[in-house]
Amino acid sequence: MGGIIVKDARRRERAGGPGNDYAEFLARYPAYESTAVVDELRAKDFSRLDRQGHVYLDYTGGGLYSESLVRDHAEFLVGHVLGNPHSTNPTSAIATERVESCRHRVLRFFNASPDEYVPVFTANATHALKLVGEGYPFCGGDVLLLCFDNHNSVNGLREYDRVRGAVTKYVPVMPPDMRILDCVLERYLDETPKICNRLFAYPAQSNFSGVQHPLEWIEKAHAKGWDVLLDAAAHVPTNRLDLGRWHPDYVAISFYKMFGYPTGVGALIARREALEKLRRPWFAGGTITVASVQADKYFLAQGAQGFEDGTLNYACLPAVERGLDFLDSIGIDLIHTRVMSLAGWLIEHMAALTHGNGRPVVRIYGPADTSMRGGTVAFNVYDASGATVDHLTVEKRANMMNISIRTGCFCNPGAGELALGLSKGEMIQCLDRSGSRMSVVEFRQCIDGKSTGAVRVSLGLVSNFEDVRTFLRFLGQFREA
Ligand SMILES: Cc1ncc(COP(=O)(O)O)c(C=O)c1O
């Protein structure tokens, strides 16, 4: 049955569109054919997408869940009695066993040795990053090295650093391809004396431009005495992260970005040694072995438990195990192949789209080819005179076609500022004008005349050629003859 639906979908894809573009696509990206199992999966397990006519292009915002994952998990819940973990009663023991089993599964998925790494369960990637920010032993003279391409959930670490008298530095990315030059990074890594605590935090994949920053930087930074926090939230849904090969000190992820369900569960996967280095600013239920009111003392539990405040989302952790099984059953490399085939076609056709007068319809912020990038593409649309079409207008028109995209700066203001050419002077002048609050509307007024946001499409697990084709047709509507 699934096979028939898929063959129909493929036939439609082959037949559709001027110039039989699907055949051209396959000729250009033949590896896509090897990912046909995902078409079957989409028809069987994500049927709501096509039934409801959605063109979903916001996988970096959130992954989509397979229907069988949700059903299997519901069945598991209905079939088990789970109590609050960390007790010895029978229902608690079942929950505790599932939590620990999930911990092992996470390590296995990332090929991380349990002797080296421990996953701390968190609410999301942001919470994982916060555990590092609040616990890292920054003090006067210490350095936090960030890059312009960081998500705000990493940028926020600088506030912990600031109150403890440490210094934050930013490595710039270079438009138009939005990469960081190796030699520039080395300069920043070399600038700080080795006596300090030094933390370098960067994204494995940019949630703005899709750029993949080299994992080789981990070893490079280690060799110069830095600790490394790898924000892998946008990377791991469509790329292999092998923690047997790469050894960042801290890795932050959100599981809903990988397989859609459950939301509200993430992890800080930390090297055991690096976890020991973090100082917890408080204690809570679940994190201690012993605490006393009268003696005014507490003893923190060792390992992950010392960082897991209160009660874990124990009813949902079994779904994380299933989600990881699900990804493994497809193969992360196959997902990568598929996404990058589609991304390659998308980028080529976006870049080739011109107005009648030859001016480009689209300007992409990021690499113009598929090497060292993921399936996230940021851009703006221009009219035939070269003026930006406001990103909110693009979004509104996409919404009308049931196409889900993102616009704005995607919580990545550094990449946004550099991509859009907003200078430090302009930003300071604009942000200094306001009191303690500033709305997005006030910000837009302040940066008057310049674009304050971009448009982002991101491909993922069950993206198909039809999604890309529909989006390219949508972009074609902005073309002026
Ligand atoms: C690169 C990156 N880091 C961190 C985050 C924060 O993830 P969450 O909102 O799940 O905590 C995101 C979310 O989009 C992201 O793309």
Side-chain angles (χ1 to χ4, degrees), residues 60-62 123-127 129 149-154 203-208 231-235 252-257 406 410-412 456:
T60 299
N124 44 36
T126 301
H127 179 199
L129 294 160
D149 203 7
N150 275 325
H151 190 278
N152 267 338
S153 297
V154 179
Q205 180 172 312
S206 169
N207 75 313
F208 187 97
D231 175 3
H235 182 84
I253 56 169
S254 278
F255 291 109
Y256 73 90
K257 289 199 191 288
R406 276 279 162 123
F410 330 118
C411 297
N412 187 329
R456 182 183 80 185

PDB file of all heavy atoms in Angstrom, residues 60-62 123-127 129 149-154 203-208 231-235 252-257 406 410-412 456, ligand 1:
ATOM      1  N   THR A  60      14.661  23.548  10.958  1.00  0.00           N
ATOM      2  CA  THR A  60      15.622  24.049  11.953  1.00  0.00           C
ATOM      3  C   THR A  60      14.862  24.635  13.138  1.00  0.00           C
ATOM      4  O   THR A  60      15.368  24.655  14.263  1.00  0.00           O
ATOM      5  CB  THR A  60      16.573  25.076  11.297  1.00  0.00           C
ATOM      6  OG1 THR A  60      17.269  24.396  10.251  1.00  0.00           O
ATOM      7  CG2 THR A  60      17.590  25.624  12.273  1.00  0.00           C
ATOM      8  N   GLY A  61      13.653  25.090  12.886  1.00  0.00           N
ATOM      9  CA  GLY A  61      12.792  25.527  13.993  1.00  0.00           C
ATOM     10  C   GLY A  61      12.341  24.322  14.812  1.00  0.00           C
ATOM     11  O   GLY A  61      12.438  24.315  16.045  1.00  0.00           O
ATOM     12  N   GLY A  62      11.865  23.301  14.155  1.00  0.00           N
ATOM     13  CA  GLY A  62      11.402  22.103  14.862  1.00  0.00           C
ATOM     14  C   GLY A  62      11.267  20.939  13.898  1.00  0.00           C
ATOM     15  O   GLY A  62      10.748  21.118  12.783  1.00  0.00           O
ATOM     16  N   ALA A 123      15.690  20.437  29.728  1.00  0.00           N
ATOM     17  CA  ALA A 123      14.410  20.767  29.082  1.00  0.00           C
ATOM     18  C   ALA A 123      14.598  20.980  27.585  1.00  0.00           C
ATOM     19  O   ALA A 123      13.668  20.762  26.801  1.00  0.00           O
ATOM     20  CB  ALA A 123      13.820  22.024  29.705  1.00  0.00           C
ATOM     21  N   ASN A 124      15.777  21.430  27.183  1.00  0.00           N
ATOM     22  CA  ASN A 124      16.053  21.726  25.772  1.00  0.00           C
ATOM     23  C   ASN A 124      17.547  22.078  25.651  1.00  0.00           C
ATOM     24  O   ASN A 124      18.277  22.051  26.655  1.00  0.00           O
ATOM     25  CB  ASN A 124      15.171  22.882  25.261  1.00  0.00           C
ATOM     26  CG  ASN A 124      15.111  24.038  26.262  1.00  0.00           C
ATOM     27  OD1 ASN A 124      16.102  24.336  26.923  1.00  0.00           O
ATOM     28  ND2 ASN A 124      13.959  24.663  26.391  1.00  0.00           N
ATOM     29  N   ALA A 125      17.956  22.457  24.451  1.00  0.00           N
ATOM     30  CA  ALA A 125      19.362  22.835  24.250  1.00  0.00           C
ATOM     31  C   ALA A 125      19.704  24.076  25.068  1.00  0.00           C
ATOM     32  O   ALA A 125      20.794  24.185  25.640  1.00  0.00           O
ATOM     33  CB  ALA A 125      19.622  23.090  22.766  1.00  0.00           C
ATOM     34  N   THR A 126      18.773  25.011  25.119  1.00  0.00           N
ATOM     35  CA  THR A 126      18.999  26.251  25.866  1.00  0.00           C
ATOM     36  C   THR A 126      19.331  25.957  27.326  1.00  0.00           C
ATOM     37  O   THR A 126      20.269  26.522  27.903  1.00  0.00           O
ATOM     38  CB  THR A 126      17.730  27.143  25.790  1.00  0.00           C
ATOM     39  OG1 THR A 126      17.477  27.420  24.417  1.00  0.00           O
ATOM     40  CG2 THR A 126      17.883  28.429  26.568  1.00  0.00           C
ATOM     41  N   HIS A 127      18.580  25.066  27.918  1.00  0.00           N
ATOM     42  CA  HIS A 127      18.795  24.694  29.313  1.00  0.00           C
ATOM     43  C   HIS A 127      20.167  24.023  29.479  1.00  0.00           C
ATOM     44  O   HIS A 127      20.879  24.250  30.466  1.00  0.00           O
ATOM     45  CB  HIS A 127      17.645  23.772  29.746  1.00  0.00           C
ATOM     46  CG  HIS A 127      17.728  23.272  31.149  1.00  0.00           C
ATOM     47  ND1 HIS A 127      17.027  22.169  31.569  1.00  0.00           N
ATOM     48  CD2 HIS A 127      18.437  23.692  32.224  1.00  0.00           C
ATOM     49  CE1 HIS A 127      17.309  21.930  32.836  1.00  0.00           C
ATOM     50  NE2 HIS A 127      18.149  22.843  33.265  1.00  0.00           N
ATOM     51  N   LEU A 129      22.799  24.621  27.632  1.00  0.00           N
ATOM     52  CA  LEU A 129      23.795  25.698  27.518  1.00  0.00           C
ATOM     53  C   LEU A 129      23.865  26.495  28.817  1.00  0.00           C
ATOM     54  O   LEU A 129      24.936  26.880  29.288  1.00  0.00           O
ATOM     55  CB  LEU A 129      23.421  26.614  26.340  1.00  0.00           C
ATOM     56  CG  LEU A 129      23.508  25.935  24.960  1.00  0.00           C
ATOM     57  CD1 LEU A 129      22.693  26.695  23.915  1.00  0.00           C
ATOM     58  CD2 LEU A 129      24.958  25.807  24.514  1.00  0.00           C
ATOM     59  N   ASP A 149      28.153  33.925  14.878  1.00  0.00           N
ATOM     60  CA  ASP A 149      27.151  33.011  14.339  1.00  0.00           C
ATOM     61  C   ASP A 149      26.421  32.231  15.436  1.00  0.00           C
ATOM     62  O   ASP A 149      25.764  31.239  15.155  1.00  0.00           O
ATOM     63  CB  ASP A 149      27.861  32.042  13.380  1.00  0.00           C
ATOM     64  CG  ASP A 149      26.909  31.441  12.376  1.00  0.00           C
ATOM     65  OD1 ASP A 149      25.740  31.854  12.336  1.00  0.00           O
ATOM     66  OD2 ASP A 149      27.339  30.537  11.627  1.00  0.00           O
ATOM     67  N   ASN A 150      26.558  32.651  16.677  1.00  0.00           N
ATOM     68  CA  ASN A 150      25.906  31.885  17.741  1.00  0.00           C
ATOM     69  C   ASN A 150      24.434  32.247  17.913  1.00  0.00           C
ATOM     70  O   ASN A 150      24.022  33.391  17.708  1.00  0.00           O
ATOM     71  CB  ASN A 150      26.623  32.107  19.074  1.00  0.00           C
ATOM     72  CG  ASN A 150      27.814  31.178  19.260  1.00  0.00           C
ATOM     73  OD1 ASN A 150      27.794  30.030  18.827  1.00  0.00           O
ATOM     74  ND2 ASN A 150      28.863  31.683  19.880  1.00  0.00           N
ATOM     75  N   HIS A 151      23.672  31.252  18.323  1.00  0.00           N
ATOM     76  CA  HIS A 151      22.267  31.437  18.724  1.00  0.00           C
ATOM     77  C   HIS A 151      22.249  32.240  20.027  1.00  0.00           C
ATOM     78  O   HIS A 151      23.206  32.192  20.811  1.00  0.00           O
ATOM     79  CB  HIS A 151      21.671  30.045  18.948  1.00  0.00           C
ATOM     80  CG  HIS A 151      20.195  30.007  19.138  1.00  0.00           C
ATOM     81  ND1 HIS A 151      19.600  30.276  20.336  1.00  0.00           N
ATOM     82  CD2 HIS A 151      19.188  29.726  18.274  1.00  0.00           C
ATOM     83  CE1 HIS A 151      18.280  30.145  20.210  1.00  0.00           C
ATOM     84  NE2 HIS A 151      18.005  29.816  18.962  1.00  0.00           N
ATOM     85  N   ASN A 152      21.167  32.955  20.256  1.00  0.00           N
ATOM     86  CA  ASN A 152      21.058  33.739  21.493  1.00  0.00           C
ATOM     87  C   ASN A 152      21.207  32.887  22.755  1.00  0.00           C
ATOM     88  O   ASN A 152      21.620  33.394  23.798  1.00  0.00           O
ATOM     89  CB  ASN A 152      19.721  34.491  21.541  1.00  0.00           C
ATOM     90  CG  ASN A 152      19.872  35.896  20.963  1.00  0.00           C
ATOM     91  OD1 ASN A 152      20.983  36.435  20.911  1.00  0.00           O
ATOM     92  ND2 ASN A 152      18.764  36.481  20.531  1.00  0.00           N
ATOM     93  N   SER A 153      20.868  31.622  22.655  1.00  0.00           N
ATOM     94  CA  SER A 153      20.985  30.765  23.840  1.00  0.00           C
ATOM     95  C   SER A 153      22.447  30.498  24.185  1.00  0.00           C
ATOM     96  O   SER A 153      22.768  30.029  25.272  1.00  0.00           O
ATOM     97  CB  SER A 153      20.235  29.443  23.628  1.00  0.00           C
ATOM     98  OG  SER A 153      18.859  29.723  23.459  1.00  0.00           O
ATOM     99  N   VAL A 154      23.347  30.790  23.236  1.00  0.00           N
ATOM    100  CA  VAL A 154      24.792  30.754  23.522  1.00  0.00           C
ATOM    101  C   VAL A 154      25.265  32.168  23.866  1.00  0.00           C
ATOM    102  O   VAL A 154      26.020  32.363  24.818  1.00  0.00           O
ATOM    103  CB  VAL A 154      25.585  30.186  22.324  1.00  0.00           C
ATOM    104  CG1 VAL A 154      27.080  30.169  22.628  1.00  0.00           C
ATOM    105  CG2 VAL A 154      25.102  28.782  21.990  1.00  0.00           C
ATOM    106  N   PRO A 203      28.636  26.958  17.118  1.00  0.00           N
ATOM    107  CA  PRO A 203      27.657  25.998  16.602  1.00  0.00           C
ATOM    108  C   PRO A 203      28.279  25.083  15.552  1.00  0.00           C
ATOM    109  O   PRO A 203      29.012  25.549  14.681  1.00  0.00           O
ATOM    110  CB  PRO A 203      26.608  26.911  15.942  1.00  0.00           C
ATOM    111  CG  PRO A 203      27.374  28.112  15.501  1.00  0.00           C
ATOM    112  CD  PRO A 203      28.556  28.266  16.439  1.00  0.00           C
ATOM    113  N   ALA A 204      27.976  23.799  15.630  1.00  0.00           N
ATOM    114  CA  ALA A 204      28.455  22.871  14.604  1.00  0.00           C
ATOM    115  C   ALA A 204      27.812  23.220  13.268  1.00  0.00           C
ATOM    116  O   ALA A 204      28.418  23.057  12.211  1.00  0.00           O
ATOM    117  CB  ALA A 204      28.113  21.437  15.003  1.00  0.00           C
ATOM    118  N   GLN A 205      26.576  23.704  13.335  1.00  0.00           N
ATOM    119  CA  GLN A 205      25.904  24.191  12.127  1.00  0.00           C
ATOM    120  C   GLN A 205      25.126  25.440  12.479  1.00  0.00           C
ATOM    121  O   GLN A 205      24.403  25.477  13.481  1.00  0.00           O
ATOM    122  CB  GLN A 205      24.967  23.119  11.547  1.00  0.00           C
ATOM    123  CG  GLN A 205      24.245  23.583  10.283  1.00  0.00           C
ATOM    124  CD  GLN A 205      23.466  22.476   9.597  1.00  0.00           C
ATOM    125  OE1 GLN A 205      23.978  21.376   9.384  1.00  0.00           O
ATOM    126  NE2 GLN A 205      22.222  22.746   9.262  1.00  0.00           N
ATOM    127  N   SER A 206      25.275  26.459  11.652  1.00  0.00           N
ATOM    128  CA  SER A 206      24.585  27.722  11.911  1.00  0.00           C
ATOM    129  C   SER A 206      23.085  27.571  11.693  1.00  0.00           C
ATOM    130  O   SER A 206      22.659  27.041  10.664  1.00  0.00           O
ATOM    131  CB  SER A 206      25.111  28.798  10.961  1.00  0.00           C
ATOM    132  OG  SER A 206      24.274  29.942  11.026  1.00  0.00           O
ATOM    133  N   ASN A 207      22.318  28.080  12.636  1.00  0.00           N
ATOM    134  CA  ASN A 207      20.865  28.065  12.445  1.00  0.00           C
ATOM    135  C   ASN A 207      20.442  29.220  11.547  1.00  0.00           C
ATOM    136  O   ASN A 207      19.288  29.330  11.175  1.00  0.00           O
ATOM    137  CB  ASN A 207      20.127  28.124  13.785  1.00  0.00           C
ATOM    138  CG  ASN A 207      20.171  29.498  14.399  1.00  0.00           C
ATOM    139  OD1 ASN A 207      21.232  30.124  14.451  1.00  0.00           O
ATOM    140  ND2 ASN A 207      19.026  30.000  14.848  1.00  0.00           N
ATOM    141  N   PHE A 208      21.389  30.099  11.197  1.00  0.00           N
ATOM    142  CA  PHE A 208      21.080  31.216  10.304  1.00  0.00           C
ATOM    143  C   PHE A 208      21.413  30.831   8.862  1.00  0.00           C
ATOM    144  O   PHE A 208      20.531  30.758   8.021  1.00  0.00           O
ATOM    145  CB  PHE A 208      21.885  32.460  10.734  1.00  0.00           C
ATOM    146  CG  PHE A 208      21.523  33.715   9.985  1.00  0.00           C
ATOM    147  CD1 PHE A 208      20.638  34.640  10.512  1.00  0.00           C
ATOM    148  CD2 PHE A 208      22.084  33.979   8.736  1.00  0.00           C
ATOM    149  CE1 PHE A 208      20.292  35.792   9.805  1.00  0.00           C
ATOM    150  CE2 PHE A 208      21.743  35.126   8.024  1.00  0.00           C
ATOM    151  CZ  PHE A 208      20.852  36.038   8.565  1.00  0.00           C
ATOM    152  N   ASP A 231      27.546  23.748  20.283  1.00  0.00           N
ATOM    153  CA  ASP A 231      26.093  23.833  20.152  1.00  0.00           C
ATOM    154  C   ASP A 231      25.715  23.006  18.919  1.00  0.00           C
ATOM    155  O   ASP A 231      25.931  23.437  17.780  1.00  0.00           O
ATOM    156  CB  ASP A 231      25.688  25.305  19.984  1.00  0.00           C
ATOM    157  CG  ASP A 231      24.193  25.447  19.721  1.00  0.00           C
ATOM    158  OD1 ASP A 231      23.490  24.422  19.730  1.00  0.00           O
ATOM    159  OD2 ASP A 231      23.743  26.591  19.497  1.00  0.00           O
ATOM    160  N   ALA A 232      25.178  21.821  19.170  1.00  0.00           N
ATOM    161  CA  ALA A 232      24.900  20.894  18.060  1.00  0.00           C
ATOM    162  C   ALA A 232      23.411  20.842  17.737  1.00  0.00           C
ATOM    163  O   ALA A 232      22.963  19.973  16.982  1.00  0.00           O
ATOM    164  CB  ALA A 232      25.419  19.500  18.415  1.00  0.00           C
ATOM    165  N   ALA A 233      22.639  21.803  18.268  1.00  0.00           N
ATOM    166  CA  ALA A 233      21.171  21.738  18.124  1.00  0.00           C
ATOM    167  C   ALA A 233      20.726  21.699  16.666  1.00  0.00           C
ATOM    168  O   ALA A 233      19.817  20.949  16.305  1.00  0.00           O
ATOM    169  CB  ALA A 233      20.531  22.923  18.850  1.00  0.00           C
ATOM    170  N   ALA A 234      21.371  22.517  15.818  1.00  0.00           N
ATOM    171  CA  ALA A 234      20.939  22.571  14.417  1.00  0.00           C
ATOM    172  C   ALA A 234      21.682  21.554  13.551  1.00  0.00           C
ATOM    173  O   ALA A 234      21.327  21.354  12.394  1.00  0.00           O
ATOM    174  CB  ALA A 234      21.167  23.988  13.869  1.00  0.00           C
ATOM    175  N   HIS A 235      22.685  20.930  14.103  1.00  0.00           N
ATOM    176  CA  HIS A 235      23.544  20.011  13.344  1.00  0.00           C
ATOM    177  C   HIS A 235      23.011  18.580  13.363  1.00  0.00           C
ATOM    178  O   HIS A 235      22.942  17.909  12.331  1.00  0.00           O
ATOM    179  CB  HIS A 235      24.948  20.067  13.964  1.00  0.00           C
ATOM    180  CG  HIS A 235      25.979  19.225  13.287  1.00  0.00           C
ATOM    181  ND1 HIS A 235      26.687  19.645  12.184  1.00  0.00           N
ATOM    182  CD2 HIS A 235      26.454  17.990  13.583  1.00  0.00           C
ATOM    183  CE1 HIS A 235      27.537  18.700  11.820  1.00  0.00           C
ATOM    184  NE2 HIS A 235      27.419  17.687  12.657  1.00  0.00           N
ATOM    185  N   ALA A 252      25.350  20.534  23.376  1.00  0.00           N
ATOM    186  CA  ALA A 252      23.947  20.844  23.700  1.00  0.00           C
ATOM    187  C   ALA A 252      23.037  20.449  22.540  1.00  0.00           C
ATOM    188  O   ALA A 252      23.327  20.783  21.381  1.00  0.00           O
ATOM    189  CB  ALA A 252      23.804  22.342  23.977  1.00  0.00           C
ATOM    190  N   ILE A 253      21.955  19.733  22.867  1.00  0.00           N
ATOM    191  CA  ILE A 253      20.981  19.339  21.828  1.00  0.00           C
ATOM    192  C   ILE A 253      19.553  19.402  22.372  1.00  0.00           C
ATOM    193  O   ILE A 253      19.334  19.361  23.583  1.00  0.00           O
ATOM    194  CB  ILE A 253      21.235  17.896  21.301  1.00  0.00           C
ATOM    195  CG1 ILE A 253      21.238  16.879  22.464  1.00  0.00           C
ATOM    196  CG2 ILE A 253      22.526  17.805  20.519  1.00  0.00           C
ATOM    197  CD1 ILE A 253      21.208  15.426  21.998  1.00  0.00           C
ATOM    198  N   SER A 254      18.607  19.501  21.441  1.00  0.00           N
ATOM    199  CA  SER A 254      17.174  19.372  21.751  1.00  0.00           C
ATOM    200  C   SER A 254      16.631  18.209  20.926  1.00  0.00           C
ATOM    201  O   SER A 254      16.856  18.171  19.713  1.00  0.00           O
ATOM    202  CB  SER A 254      16.408  20.641  21.328  1.00  0.00           C
ATOM    203  OG  SER A 254      16.502  21.642  22.291  1.00  0.00           O
ATOM    204  N   PHE A 255      15.914  17.295  21.553  1.00  0.00           N
ATOM    205  CA  PHE A 255      15.472  16.113  20.802  1.00  0.00           C
ATOM    206  C   PHE A 255      14.347  16.407  19.809  1.00  0.00           C
ATOM    207  O   PHE A 255      14.252  15.756  18.768  1.00  0.00           O
ATOM    208  CB  PHE A 255      15.071  14.980  21.761  1.00  0.00           C
ATOM    209  CG  PHE A 255      16.267  14.426  22.489  1.00  0.00           C
ATOM    210  CD1 PHE A 255      16.450  14.656  23.842  1.00  0.00           C
ATOM    211  CD2 PHE A 255      17.230  13.701  21.804  1.00  0.00           C
ATOM    212  CE1 PHE A 255      17.567  14.168  24.503  1.00  0.00           C
ATOM    213  CE2 PHE A 255      18.360  13.206  22.461  1.00  0.00           C
ATOM    214  CZ  PHE A 255      18.521  13.443  23.812  1.00  0.00           C
ATOM    215  N   TYR A 256      13.497  17.403  20.112  1.00  0.00           N
ATOM    216  CA  TYR A 256      12.396  17.675  19.167  1.00  0.00           C
ATOM    217  C   TYR A 256      12.934  18.156  17.825  1.00  0.00           C
ATOM    218  O   TYR A 256      12.267  18.043  16.807  1.00  0.00           O
ATOM    219  CB  TYR A 256      11.396  18.694  19.751  1.00  0.00           C
ATOM    220  CG  TYR A 256      11.945  20.106  19.786  1.00  0.00           C
ATOM    221  CD1 TYR A 256      11.755  20.958  18.700  1.00  0.00           C
ATOM    222  CD2 TYR A 256      12.688  20.566  20.864  1.00  0.00           C
ATOM    223  CE1 TYR A 256      12.285  22.234  18.703  1.00  0.00           C
ATOM    224  CE2 TYR A 256      13.222  21.840  20.868  1.00  0.00           C
ATOM    225  CZ  TYR A 256      13.024  22.671  19.789  1.00  0.00           C
ATOM    226  OH  TYR A 256      13.565  23.931  19.780  1.00  0.00           O
ATOM    227  N   LYS A 257      14.141  18.715  17.816  1.00  0.00           N
ATOM    228  CA  LYS A 257      14.714  19.139  16.531  1.00  0.00           C
ATOM    229  C   LYS A 257      15.148  17.927  15.708  1.00  0.00           C
ATOM    230  O   LYS A 257      15.236  17.993  14.495  1.00  0.00           O
ATOM    231  CB  LYS A 257      15.906  20.066  16.756  1.00  0.00           C
ATOM    232  CG  LYS A 257      15.498  21.450  17.281  1.00  0.00           C
ATOM    233  CD  LYS A 257      16.576  22.456  17.053  1.00  0.00           C
ATOM    234  CE  LYS A 257      16.313  23.754  17.797  1.00  0.00           C
ATOM    235  NZ  LYS A 257      15.220  24.529  17.201  1.00  0.00           N
ATOM    236  N   ARG A 406      10.508  30.686   8.075  1.00  0.00           N
ATOM    237  CA  ARG A 406      10.817  31.606   9.184  1.00  0.00           C
ATOM    238  C   ARG A 406      11.321  32.918   8.634  1.00  0.00           C
ATOM    239  O   ARG A 406      11.996  32.915   7.591  1.00  0.00           O
ATOM    240  CB  ARG A 406      11.952  31.046  10.036  1.00  0.00           C
ATOM    241  CG  ARG A 406      11.560  30.077  11.081  1.00  0.00           C
ATOM    242  CD  ARG A 406      11.034  30.768  12.314  1.00  0.00           C
ATOM    243  NE  ARG A 406      10.293  29.772  13.063  1.00  0.00           N
ATOM    244  CZ  ARG A 406      10.543  29.443  14.315  1.00  0.00           C
ATOM    245  NH1 ARG A 406      11.469  30.074  14.984  1.00  0.00           N
ATOM    246  NH2 ARG A 406       9.834  28.510  14.912  1.00  0.00           N
ATOM    247  N   PHE A 410      16.176  34.832  13.501  1.00  0.00           N
ATOM    248  CA  PHE A 410      16.196  33.441  13.972  1.00  0.00           C
ATOM    249  C   PHE A 410      16.999  33.285  15.256  1.00  0.00           C
ATOM    250  O   PHE A 410      17.706  32.280  15.449  1.00  0.00           O
ATOM    251  CB  PHE A 410      16.749  32.494  12.874  1.00  0.00           C
ATOM    252  CG  PHE A 410      16.464  32.969  11.487  1.00  0.00           C
ATOM    253  CD1 PHE A 410      17.486  33.287  10.598  1.00  0.00           C
ATOM    254  CD2 PHE A 410      15.152  33.157  11.068  1.00  0.00           C
ATOM    255  CE1 PHE A 410      17.212  33.776   9.341  1.00  0.00           C
ATOM    256  CE2 PHE A 410      14.866  33.638   9.799  1.00  0.00           C
ATOM    257  CZ  PHE A 410      15.898  33.948   8.933  1.00  0.00           C
ATOM    258  N   CYS A 411      16.908  34.278  16.150  1.00  0.00           N
ATOM    259  CA  CYS A 411      17.640  34.245  17.432  1.00  0.00           C
ATOM    260  C   CYS A 411      19.143  34.206  17.210  1.00  0.00           C
ATOM    261  O   CYS A 411      19.881  33.691  18.056  1.00  0.00           O
ATOM    262  CB  CYS A 411      17.240  33.048  18.299  1.00  0.00           C
ATOM    263  SG  CYS A 411      15.544  33.064  18.795  1.00  0.00           S
ATOM    264  N   ASN A 412      19.596  34.665  16.058  1.00  0.00           N
ATOM    265  CA  ASN A 412      21.031  34.669  15.777  1.00  0.00           C
ATOM    266  C   ASN A 412      21.400  36.094  15.324  1.00  0.00           C
ATOM    267  O   ASN A 412      21.644  36.334  14.137  1.00  0.00           O
ATOM    268  CB  ASN A 412      21.344  33.631  14.689  1.00  0.00           C
ATOM    269  CG  ASN A 412      22.836  33.449  14.457  1.00  0.00           C
ATOM    270  OD1 ASN A 412      23.612  34.385  14.626  1.00  0.00           O
ATOM    271  ND2 ASN A 412      23.229  32.263  14.060  1.00  0.00           N
ATOM    272  N   ARG A 456      14.183  32.444   6.053  1.00  0.00           N
ATOM    273  CA  ARG A 456      14.926  31.186   6.182  1.00  0.00           C
ATOM    274  C   ARG A 456      14.045  30.012   5.786  1.00  0.00           C
ATOM    275  O   ARG A 456      12.905  29.918   6.247  1.00  0.00           O
ATOM    276  CB  ARG A 456      15.396  30.996   7.632  1.00  0.00           C
ATOM    277  CG  ARG A 456      16.213  29.725   7.833  1.00  0.00           C
ATOM    278  CD  ARG A 456      16.600  29.529   9.288  1.00  0.00           C
ATOM    279  NE  ARG A 456      15.506  28.982  10.060  1.00  0.00           N
ATOM    280  CZ  ARG A 456      15.536  28.793  11.389  1.00  0.00           C
ATOM    281  NH1 ARG A 456      16.616  29.133  12.075  1.00  0.00           N
ATOM    282  NH2 ARG A 456      14.512  28.269  12.027  1.00  0.00           N
TER     283      ARG A 456
HETATM  284  C1  LIG B   1      21.859  26.408  16.828  1.00  0.00           C
HETATM  285  C2  LIG B   1      20.808  26.453  17.894  1.00  0.00           C
HETATM  286  N1  LIG B   1      21.182  26.491  19.184  1.00  0.00           N
HETATM  287  C3  LIG B   1      20.308  26.520  20.189  1.00  0.00           C
HETATM  288  C4  LIG B   1      18.962  26.543  19.932  1.00  0.00           C
HETATM  289  C5  LIG B   1      18.014  26.570  21.086  1.00  0.00           C
HETATM  290  O1  LIG B   1      17.246  25.406  21.065  1.00  0.00           O
HETATM  291  P1  LIG B   1      16.008  25.256  22.053  1.00  0.00           P
HETATM  292  O2  LIG B   1      15.092  26.396  21.744  1.00  0.00           O
HETATM  293  O3  LIG B   1      15.434  23.931  21.691  1.00  0.00           O
HETATM  294  O4  LIG B   1      16.523  25.322  23.421  1.00  0.00           O
HETATM  295  C6  LIG B   1      18.507  26.528  18.616  1.00  0.00           C
HETATM  296  C7  LIG B   1      17.076  26.597  18.306  1.00  0.00           C
HETATM  297  O5  LIG B   1      16.654  26.856  17.205  1.00  0.00           O
HETATM  298  C8  LIG B   1      19.455  26.463  17.570  1.00  0.00           C
HETATM  299  O6  LIG B   1      19.086  26.420  16.286  1.00  0.00           O
END
